[in-house]
């Protein structure tokens, strides 16, 4: 059976999903209860989990869920916003195409049926979306949005140190959307304390986050039946098992790790043990006993008070250890072992081959080792002495029901994932045109400069124009940078603006460069592009300014790829023409620096909305204008839901109008929200949604095929992974 | 083949609480639990109709374990209560009924969940802060110098479980036994870190309740024939015991992953048996009198030991091994008797609850007034507090005066109905205007009688109606008054036959009930996996 894939269908599906997830969005969001076939109940506000729990059958819905899962794997956050944003985008597209059925005219396909015509139209739009995502979005982020970014780091120096209050704000906002509203303060405070308690050296917090993210399962203990407010952090490591034998010990406690049984066995794998007489058997047993005793005795002489074993030890070993005052913990999981090894850097000790050589160097000191009883269940509590920047602490999560504890665990784990993302740089790259006026494809940086109209009609002297424009633009940018700096003390100045200063101070460099580029272009064969890397002059200028973390490289390519693209698009005469006229492009590589944040409450969305609309006004290309408009309007969907319950001065229209006014008058944005959210996360979300939309639009027909159940099963398991 | 089937889509239901069905089910559950509450509570008979065991109980753990709950919201509620009981043994019905009452009361108001949850949390913290403070008048510090309070606590717990079928005299006897058993688990020379011992409950069915007893040490079941051979034990000066946790059956233990080649004619069994006999000889030469083994002892070794007048008991089992290894420390056996199996099961559960409550009381040396007095006193305190000092709340929680009043009323009436559900026989429930305690009077009084003179003692037994007290009906509108705080000394002294509750369990139950109610009220939709 085949069904036509269309925006109307996708919109319908997305709207259904939206009604479910929008109820959980933001600080006013509510909980969802999921029941499993086993009878367990799970509480969740995690969009990804909810979408999976629905077990959707609809093909379009499955595509969406798959896209959300792959996004979550990358970032660990934003599933609900994903669905809402996608839904608004589809709504925007649907409205546009309803109004302007004949917006795109394709002469060569008029003979085909209407459905196919629509499909081609969708394909066209999806290509426009792709162009937007790869070129315009990065450009706008870099040129306009970046001036609003705040940093989570406490100082602008090269040394990154975490600022507690900003971290609290970031986590507070995160947990507002993830856990029940009567607990988010408590959980975010718990997490904040945890991060700072675990971080021995402030500047190496990233290592800590990595360890905690990797080993979170081993670092938390869930206790049901107690109120959530009893959740706490305890120093040291808690192993979720009891001692096989426990001997209280004081003073220097050394531990050793074994990965095999201490008691020698009659025969090892692949060997034979031949028994010729009963006496031989008895002697062998005696020897085994003696040897086990000797090894344990030796451990005792090395002051080992605790033996951690990954395997089950025979009764004899446990007995001997007990006699010698050595506590034993058996059956450690490989994850627990690797965590302990990471923390104390201790290798398992190898059993001596001959009975004479007892060299035992692999022991480590621990502060304490005692049983811990939580709700009548016994655990092993170890005070490890850390050899790395991670000081081990465990988080004990309490709650009346298991489902709630799982929700808090998921949220905490997700928060660590999110933090790791926040502290990563995110690359941006885009192309700008440096050619004549007629060039209409791609973002044109000169369009917004007033000089454009006043310039003499010297079409050929692009070098001169480029020079003038740069100067004018740089001046404007510089002024803005300064105002921003005055307003926000902890604002990080992105590399982009500094770059402008550089350009301003050394315009000659820029001019010669672009000149050279054009030269090479003209000279180079169409099969070969030349890369000009004028990296050095910028480094030179940047060295004086410590706030710049990323030097930006500007590379000029020959437009080999562009001409290729043009050929591909030759069925669209307009585009082909315009591309042909472009003679030069600049490839920019920039980044969103690590730790960039914006206040919550739809700040990112409103900012991007504003700049996209501005861009759309100036853009001369109809399809880009349309795409930018649709995206700009869809962006408002999230803040609309966030402000739904607010009244009066804090209602959405009021907030929106105020924001637009401040932006138009170039004043700094003032937010009444206390939380922060990651810019990189938002950016990634946007690109993921656009990719998902492209996916949906490019499919013209959904064919249901008969398959073996096993294959379907495999597919399911892949999705779950 | 079920593994290969494609998954069915789940059912998604929005606003799970607003439906009539959900409301009716919640009301049904509340009604069922309320009718079990307190000493006058009714019993529930649980059976599966197919010849399975029949249980008559009013204990929340037994009740909820057997009760089939299908509605997801109720599943959350019962799971929370069961987890609470698993932690504290006591206060399950209290938690469950309070949670039901809160959900129902708040649901009726139709306020936004945000406000409700925020204010409920505020009221809860008001309660917990008061209960933990020194001025709290419904909390009594435990004096470990006398048994009075501890005995009252145990007796209150026993009294609150009518399914134990005990008469007053028997309750006194069992209470004393439980307290004795508990005291036997406290090590003699305790240092700063006390590790409590264990009390093992041993069933003695078919005997009179009065025959129940406490013995220090462990009881190990031995067949009568064996016992006849053992008795009489002549030695009196010293008695040596050897305990084995490994098998003494002579089977070969783990020999490794390789192969073991045994030459023809070599018998490993004989070799092992030889070693067992060596062990036997060693035991004889060490003058051991009793050999206990967790696993099996080889019959030949058993025979050998018997011929040397050593008593051998095997198959002790792992459950007895742990107390056995502590036998030199503090272990005692509580021999319990009751009229029938059902009543014995309930009594055992109640004894465990009481022992647990005593342990918790040692950790946190306070008890709360029982018999509904704590609840009514708290209500008076909250009403007074929110009426007289609402400014800080209104500022902090960003809500209106009306909202605060509505939620406070819902919270207080939830506590009041909880206290009121102690009365099952149609009597009237009153509260006084001085202490805010709970007083109940008989139903169907002749109109001529001046009813306020009738209640002689309050629910917990702390106050008598000798004083001039003003009365009002519980759950009727009345003026908020400041309840007398700080328990007077004479009141503490007169604690002869008080009804008391475990402090830790009740406080945690209160918190769990409010948290769970908030959780349930916060649900926007339910996704049911139908696979």
């Amino acid at each position: 059976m085949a069904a036509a894939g269309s925006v109307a269908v996708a919109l319908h599906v997305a709207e259904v999903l939206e009604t479910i997830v929008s109820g959980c969005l933001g600080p006013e969001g509510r909980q969802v209860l999921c029941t499993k076939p086993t009878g367990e109940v799970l509480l969740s506000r995690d969009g990804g989990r909810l979408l999976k729990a629905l077990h959707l059958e609809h093909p379009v819905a499955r595509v969406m869920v798959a896209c959300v899962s792959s996004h979550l794997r990358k970032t660990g956050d934003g599933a609900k916003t994903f669905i809402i944003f996608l839904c608004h985008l589809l709504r925007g597209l649907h409205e546009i195409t309803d109004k302007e059925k004949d917006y795109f005219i394709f002469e060569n396909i008029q003979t085909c049926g209407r459905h196919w015509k629509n499909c081609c139209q969708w394909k066209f739009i999806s290509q426009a979306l792709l162009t937007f995502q790869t070129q315009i979005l990065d450009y706008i982020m870099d040129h306009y949005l970046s001036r609003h970014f705040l940093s989570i780091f406490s100082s602008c120096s090269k040394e990154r140190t975490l600022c507690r209050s900003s971290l609290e704000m970031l986590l507070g906002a995160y947990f507002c959307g993830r856990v029940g509203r009567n607990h988010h303060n408590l959980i975010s405070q718990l997490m904040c304390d945890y991060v700072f308690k675990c971080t021995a050296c402030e500047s190496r917090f990233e290592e800590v986050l990595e360890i905690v993210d990797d080993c979170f399962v081993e670092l938390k203990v869930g206790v049901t039946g107690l109120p959530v407010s009893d959740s706490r952090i305890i120093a040291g490591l808690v192993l979720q098992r009891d001692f096989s034998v426990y001997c209280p010990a004081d003073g220097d406690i050394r531990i050793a790790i074994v990965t095999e049984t201490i008691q020698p066995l009659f025969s090892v794998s692949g060997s034979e043990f031949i028994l010729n007489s009963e006496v031989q058997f008895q002697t062998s047993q005696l020897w085994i006993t003696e040897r086990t005793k000797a090894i344990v005795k030796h451990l005792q002489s090395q002051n080992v008070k605790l033996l951690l074993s990954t395997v089950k030890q025979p009764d004899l070993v446990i007995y001997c250890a007990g006699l010698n005052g050595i506590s034993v913990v058996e059956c450690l999981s490989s994850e627990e072992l690797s965590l302990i090894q990471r923390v104390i850097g201790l290798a398992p000790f190898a059993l001596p081959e001959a009975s004479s050589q007892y060299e035992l160097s692999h022991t480590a000191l621990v502060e304490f080792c005692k049983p811990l009883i939580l709700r009548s269940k016994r655990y092993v509590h170890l005070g490890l002495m850390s050899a790395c920047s991670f000081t081990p602490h465990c988080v004990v999560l309490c709650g009346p029901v298991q489902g709630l504890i799982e929700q808090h665990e998921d949220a905490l784990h997700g928060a660590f994932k999110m933090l790791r993302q926040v502290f990563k740089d995110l690359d941006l790259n885009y192309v700008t045109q440096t050619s004549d006026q007629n060039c209409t494809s791609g973002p044109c940086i000169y369009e917004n400069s007033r000089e454009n109209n006043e310039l003499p009609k010297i079409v050929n002297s692009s070098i001169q124009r480029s020079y003038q424009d740069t100067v004018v633009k740089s001046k404007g940018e510089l002024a803005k940078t300064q105002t921003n700096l005055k307003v926000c003390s902890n604002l990080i100045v992105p590399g982009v603006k500094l770059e402008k200063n550089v350009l301003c101070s050394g315009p000659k460099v820029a001019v010669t460069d672009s000149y050279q580029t054009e030269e090479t272009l003209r000279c180079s064969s169409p099969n070969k592009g030349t890369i000009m890397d004028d990296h050095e002059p910028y480094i030179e200028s940047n060295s004086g300014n410590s706030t710049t973390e990323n030097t930006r490289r500007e590379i000029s390519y020959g437009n080999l790829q562009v001409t290729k693209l043009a050929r591909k698009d030759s069925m669209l005469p307009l585009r082909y023409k315009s591309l042909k006229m472009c003679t030069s492009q600049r490839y920019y590589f920039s980044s969103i620096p690590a730790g960039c944040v914006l206040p919550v409450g739809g700040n990112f969305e409103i900012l991007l909305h504003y700049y996209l609309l501005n861009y759309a006004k100036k853009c001369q290309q109809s399809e880009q204008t349309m795409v930018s408009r649709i995206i700009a309007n869809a962006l408002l969907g999230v803040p609309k839901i966030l402000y739904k319950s607010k009244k009066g001065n804090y209602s959405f229209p009021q907030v929106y109008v105020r924001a637009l006014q401040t932006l138009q008058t170039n004043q700094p944005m003032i937010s009444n929200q206390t939380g922060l959210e990651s810019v990189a996360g938002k950016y990634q979300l946007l690109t993921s949604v656009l990719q998902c939309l492209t996916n949906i639009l490019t499919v013209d027909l959904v064919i249901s095929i008969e398959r073996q159940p096993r294959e379907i099963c495999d597919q399911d398991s892949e999705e779950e992974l | 083949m079920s593994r290969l089937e494609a998954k069915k889509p789940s059912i998604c239901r929005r606003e799970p609480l607003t439906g009539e069905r959900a409301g009716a089910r919640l009301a049904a559950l509340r009604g069922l639990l309320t009718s079990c509450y307190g000493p006058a509570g009714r019993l529930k008979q649980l059976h599966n109709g197919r010849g399975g065991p029949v249980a008559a109980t009013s204990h929340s753990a037994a009740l909820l374990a057997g009760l089939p709950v299908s509605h997801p919201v109720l599943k959350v509620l019962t799971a929370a209560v069961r987890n609470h009981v698993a932690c504290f043994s006591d206060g399950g019905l209290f938690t469950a009924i309070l949670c039901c009452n809160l959900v129902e009361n708040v649901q009726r108001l139709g306020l936004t969940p945000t406000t409700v949850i925020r204010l409920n949390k505020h009221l809860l913290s008001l309660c917990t802060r008061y209960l933990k403070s020194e001025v709290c008048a419904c909390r009594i510090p435990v004096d470990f110098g006398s048994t009075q309070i501890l005995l009252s606590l145990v007796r209150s717990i026993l009294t609150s479980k009518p399914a134990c079928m005990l008469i007053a005299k028997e309750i006194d006897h069992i209470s004393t036994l439980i307290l004795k058993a508990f005291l036997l688990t406290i090590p003699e020379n305790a240092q700063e870190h006390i590790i409590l011992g264990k009390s093992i409950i041993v069933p003695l069915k078919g005997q009179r309740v009065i025959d129940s007893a406490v013995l220090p040490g462990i009881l190990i079941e031995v067949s009568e024939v064996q016992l006849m051979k053992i008795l009489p034990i002549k030695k009196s000066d010293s008695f040596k015991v050897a305990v084995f946790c490994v098998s003494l059956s002579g089977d070969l233990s783990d020999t490794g992953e390789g192969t073991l080649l045994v030459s023809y004619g070599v018998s490993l069994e004989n070799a092992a048996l030889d070693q067992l006999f060596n062990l036997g000889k060693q035991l004889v030469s060490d003058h051991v009198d009793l050999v206990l083994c967790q696993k099996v002892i080889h019959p030949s070794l058993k025979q050998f030991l018997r011929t040397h007048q050593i008593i051998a008991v095997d198959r002790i089992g792992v459950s007895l091994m742990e107390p056995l290894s502590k036998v030199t420390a503090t272990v005692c056996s509580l021999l319990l008797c009751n009229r029938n199996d059902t009543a014995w099961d309930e009594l055992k559960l109640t004894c465990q609850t009481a022992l647990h409550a005593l342990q918790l009381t040692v950790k946190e040396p306070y008890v709360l007034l029982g018999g509904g007095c704590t609840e009514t006193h708290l209500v008076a305190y909250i009403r007074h507090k929110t009426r007289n000092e609402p400014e800080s709340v209104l500022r902090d929680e960003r809500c209106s005066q009306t909202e605060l009043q509505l939620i406070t009323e819902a919270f207080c009436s939830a506590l009041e109905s909880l206290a009121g559900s102690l009365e099952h026989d149609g009597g009237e429930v009153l509260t006084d205007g001085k202490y805010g305690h709970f007083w109940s009077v008989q139903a169907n009084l002749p109109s001529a009688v001046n009813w306020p003179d009738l209640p002689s003692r309050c629910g917990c037994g702390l106050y008598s109606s000798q004083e001039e007290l003003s009365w009002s009906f519980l759950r009727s509108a009345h003026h908020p008054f400041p309840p007398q705080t700080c328990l007077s000394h004479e009141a503490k002294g007169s604690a002869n036959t008080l009804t008391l509750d475990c402090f830790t369990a009740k406080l945690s139950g209160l918190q769990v009930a409010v948290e769970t109610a908030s959780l349930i009220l916060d649900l926007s939709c339910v996704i049911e996996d139908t696979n």
Side-chain angles (χ1 to χ4, degrees), chain B residues 62-313:
Chain B
L63 208 59
L64 292 179
L67 204 65
V69 181
S70 61
H71 198 280
V73 170
L74 297 190
K75 269 187 192 164
V76 174
L77 203 157
T78 52
V81 174
R82 289 179 69 183
N83 286 330
H84 167 80
V85 176
C87 267
F88 299 100
S89 303
D90 196 18
L93 286 176
F94 168 85
T95 310
I97 299 170
L98 181 59
C99 186
C100 288
N101 284 347
L102 272 174
V103 171
E104 283 186 324
N105 286 357
V106 171
Q107 186 69 19
R108 244 174 264 140
L109 298 178
L111 295 173
T112 61
T114 323
T115 328
V116 171
I117 288 167
R118 214 185 277 143
L119 286 176
N120 266 349
K121 197 181 170 192
H122 168 79
L123 293 173
L124 173 67
S125 70
L126 204 65
C127 290
T128 50
R129 247 181 287 140
Y130 177 64
L131 288 175
K132 284 179 184 168
S133 71
E134 284 303 314
V135 295
C136 176
C138 45
R139 188 183 78 161
I140 305 177
V142 178
D143 171 19
F144 288 104
S146 82
T147 56
Q148 247 178 25
I149 287 185
L150 293 178
L151 209 54
S152 292
L153 176 64
V154 175
R155 194 185 293 121
S156 309
I157 292 172
L158 277 175
T159 315
S160 72
K161 301 294 173 221
C164 296
M165 311 269 188
L166 301 181
I167 55 169
K169 200 177 114 199
E170 291 165 341
I171 286 182
D172 283 346
H173 180 65
I174 299 281
S175 312
T176 323
L177 289 186
I178 291 174
L179 190 57
K180 250 189 210 165
F182 175 70
L183 293 174
L184 280 172
T185 61
I186 299 173
E188 290 258 327
N189 38 6
Q191 280 127 31
E192 75 243 63
H193 197 72
I194 303 172
I195 298 168
L196 289 178
K198 209 174 161 126
S199 33
I200 303 161
I201 295 177
V202 182
L204 270 188
K205 287 176 189 173
Q207 283 180 299
R208 289 181 307 153
V209 180
I210 293 295
D211 295 336
S212 303
V214 172
L215 299 172
I218 294 181
L219 289 181
I220 296 166
E221 207 174 324
V222 178
S223 71
E224 209 164 332
V225 185
Q226 216 177 341
L227 200 65
M228 296 307 286
K229 285 176 188 159
I230 294 166
L231 292 172
I233 295 167
K234 285 142 279 170
K235 291 174 74 177
S236 57
D237 47 345
S238 70
F239 193 79
K240 279 193 180 173
V241 183
V243 184
F244 292 89
C245 63
V246 291
S247 165
L248 293 179
S249 64
D251 49 356
L252 208 55
S253 57
D254 189 17
T255 55
E257 284 173 11
T259 23
L260 199 64
L261 276 184
V262 184
S263 307
Y264 182 75
V266 175
S267 164
L268 295 186
E269 285 73 30
N270 282 345
L273 205 56
D274 270 355
Q275 284 174 318
L276 283 181
F277 279 122
N278 284 340
L279 175 75
K281 281 171 201 154
Q282 185 69 43
L283 288 170
V284 172
S285 67
D286 286 346
H287 303 289
V288 171
D289 299 292
L290 173 65
V291 174
L292 296 169
C293 180
Q294 182 189 338
K295 291 166 188 171
V296 181
I297 301 180
H298 197 283
S300 313
L301 178 63
K302 244 185 188 172
Q303 183 63 38
F304 175 84
L305 292 173
R306 205 175 296 146
T307 54
H308 289 86
Q309 276 82 47
I310 296 176
I311 309 156
V313 183

Side-chain angles (χ1 to χ4, degrees), chain A residues 322-362:
Chain A
L323 284 187
N324 287 298
I326 299 174
S327 309
V328 182
V329 182
E330 294 174 296
C331 306
L332 253 72
S333 68
S334 56
E335 289 84 10
E336 284 169 330
L337 182 74
S338 79
L339 173 63
I340 292 171
Q341 288 185 333
R342 262 170 106 164
V343 172
I344 58 176
L346 175 68
F349 86 90
L351 288 173
E353 288 295 322
S355 51
S356 57
Q357 70 175 84
Y358 287 139
E359 205 46 60
L360 195 61
S361 54
H362 297 303

Side-chain angles (χ1 to χ4, degrees), chain B residues 313-364:
Chain B
V313 183
D314 62 350
R315 298 175 210 228
I316 299 279
V318 73
S319 57
L320 268 185
M321 276 310 276
E322 200 212 332
L324 248 182
S325 57
K326 282 185 193 162
V327 81
T328 46
T330 48
V331 182
C332 69
S333 302
L334 175 58
L335 285 82
L336 274 187
C337 320
N338 208 341
R339 295 183 170 78
N340 54 46
D341 284 2
T342 312
W344 189 86
D345 288 340
E346 183 87 352
L347 182 59
K348 185 197 171 194
L349 212 55
T350 313
C351 284
Q352 283 171 340
T353 306
L355 285 167
H356 198 172
L358 287 172
Q359 287 172 4
L360 293 170
T361 309
V362 170
K363 272 190 201 159
E364 238 172 323

Side-chain angles (χ1 to χ4, degrees), chain A residues 460-707:
Chain A
N460 294 327
S461 65
S462 60
I463 303 163
Q464 198 188 340
R465 270 194 55 231
S466 140
Y467 163 69
Q468 285 185 354
D469 281 351
T470 315
V471 174
V472 170
K473 205 166 140 38
S474 306
K475 274 181 188 162
E477 290 280 345
L478 185 62
K480 279 176 196 165
T481 313
Q482 280 165 347
T483 50
N484 276 326
L485 270 170
K486 269 180 217 159
V487 174
C488 310
S489 58
N490 62 342
L491 177 95
I492 198 156
V493 184
V496 191
K497 281 160 227 160
L498 290 165
E499 189 102 17
K500 295 300 166 207
N501 302 346
V502 171
L503 279 173
C504 190
S505 59
K508 285 219 162 168
V509 180
V511 172
T512 44
D513 278 337
S514 58
Y515 182 73
Q516 276 177 351
T517 315
E518 297 211 349
E519 281 291 313
T520 38
L521 259 178
R522 277 170 208 147
C523 304
S524 63
S525 69
N527 292 328
K528 202 177 171 186
T530 313
I531 300 165
M532 288 294 298
D533 190 350
D534 40 6
H535 192 55
E536 283 164 48
Y538 296 118
I539 284 191
E540 201 179 280
S541 327
N542 284 333
S543 59
N545 200 328
S546 61
T547 51
T548 315
E549 279 163 9
N550 303 287
T551 55
R552 180 170 137 192
R553 286 177 302 152
E554 185 181 306
I555 301 171
S556 298
Y557 277 84
N559 64 351
L560 165 72
Q561 282 164 309
V562 179
T563 45
K564 256 192 183 168
L565 193 71
R567 271 187 210 128
K568 228 189 275 170
D569 291 345
S570 57
M571 57 182 249
L572 312 166
L574 179 73
R575 286 192 80 184
Y576 179 61
K577 205 172 149 194
S578 66
L579 280 165
K580 206 175 160 191
M581 285 170 74
C582 289
T583 49
S584 164
Q585 297 196 332
R586 281 189 180 193
Y587 283 72
Y588 286 89
F589 293 92
S590 172
S591 71
I592 302 174
C596 266
V597 286
L598 275 174
V600 288
N603 240 304
F604 176 87
E605 283 86 357
I606 292 174
L607 283 174
L608 192 58
H609 165 84
Y610 172 77
Y611 289 118
L612 276 180
L613 281 190
N614 268 5
Y615 175 82
K617 266 181 220 154
K618 289 162 199 156
C619 191
Q620 294 168 7
Q621 249 184 305
S622 55
E623 82 226 46
Q624 289 303 346
T625 316
M626 183 198 74
V627 164
S628 301
R629 285 231 169 88
I630 290 174
I631 291 173
N633 289 328
L635 276 167
L636 291 184
V638 174
K640 268 181 199 159
I641 293 178
L642 289 178
Y643 289 98
K644 204 161 66 182
S645 68
K646 299 274 174 27
K647 290 176 192 85
N649 231 4
Y650 296 106
S651 64
F652 176 72
Q654 296 275 349
V655 171
Y656 177 68
V657 168
R658 265 200 309 260
L660 286 198
Q661 276 169 356
T662 46
L663 282 171
Q664 272 157 3
T665 51
N666 259 331
Q667 284 166 345
M669 291 277 281
I670 299 156
S671 172
N672 54 341
Q673 308 275 341
T674 49
L676 295 172
E677 62 191 349
S678 154
V679 173
K682 284 277 173 189
Y683 169 82
Q684 280 173 324
L685 175 73
L686 200 58
T687 55
S688 298
V689 173
L690 291 177
Q691 272 164 15
C692 176
L693 186 61
T694 320
N695 264 358
I696 292 170
L697 291 183
T698 42
V699 171
D700 61 351
L701 196 66
V702 179
I703 304 170
S704 168
I705 51 167
E706 282 299 323
R707 278 212 240 176

